[in-house]
Amino acid sequence: MGSLMQIWIYVILSVSFLNPVSSFRPAAPAPLAHISRAAHIPQAHPIVFAVTATCIKTTAADFLAQKLKNGDEGMDWRRLAGFTLYGAIYLGLFQFWLYTEVYTKMFPGAQVFAAKSLVQKFADPVGAMSILRQVSMEAFVHWPLAFVPSYYVMQEIVNYKA
């Protein structure tokens, strides 16, 4: 109970709305120290992190969806494995490559625009057009020509009965 209270106090003090530029920072309790040590993993190993995160996310989402739909009737393990692989391969590997390699070359102004403040964004129509082109590419090219078809291919592979 004591460490939970320490975490709560740390969170309250860290996210203080009264003094957001506070120089006082209490020592991190043990659980938060582990989290802060693990915070470098996405930058140190971005592909491993992307694959792991999307794999866990899609597996958990399908697991919960099946539990809510089927209750105690059982789990479709083949379907769960399909979503896990889809999360790892398409969402983790392919989309990581698409967003970090392809889109950064196609829309070089988008990252600079995204880092600007809201006031600066309103004063930058060129950056706004770069974002609009990126969103259009996502909505009219990537989703209909890659994401949706790959999802249905995965679904057919999972549902295929030899």
Side-chain angles (χ1 to χ4, degrees), residues 13 16 19-26:
L13 291 174
S16 172
N19 190 6
V21 193
S22 172
S23 61
F24 172 72
R25 196 139 229 206

Side-chain angles (χ1 to χ4, degrees), residues 57 86 90-91 94-95 98-99 103 134-152:
K57 177 190 69 158
Y86 184 73
Y90 186 84
L91 301 176
F94 176 75
Q95 284 189 346
L98 179 69
Y99 295 135
Y103 277 16
Q134 186 173 353
V135 169
S136 298
M137 177 75 165
E138 189 68 13
F140 301 115
V141 178
H142 172 229
W143 274 73
L145 300 179
F147 180 78
V148 174
S150 69
Y151 172 80
Y152 283 114

Side-chain angles (χ1 to χ4, degrees), residues 65-117:
Q66 287 192 52
K67 275 295 185 188
L68 290 173
K69 182 183 174 200
N70 301 338
D72 292 332
E73 292 177 17
M75 181 69 59
D76 183 351
W77 295 105
R78 184 178 170 135
R79 175 180 146 171
L80 190 69
F83 271 101
T84 301
L85 285 173
Y86 184 73
I89 295 168
Y90 186 84
L91 301 176
L93 290 174
F94 176 75
Q95 284 189 346
F96 179 85
W97 170 77
L98 179 69
Y99 295 135
T100 61
E101 298 294 325
V102 177
Y103 277 16
T104 54
K105 288 181 178 96
M106 288 177 71
F107 312 105
Q111 288 181 326
V112 174
F113 182 79
K116 292 182 177 182
S117 71

Side-chain angles (χ1 to χ4, degrees), residues 35-49:
I35 291 171
S36 65
R37 274 187 258 147
H40 79 283
I41 293 173
Q43 289 180 338
H45 310 285
I47 295 174
V48 173
F49 182 78

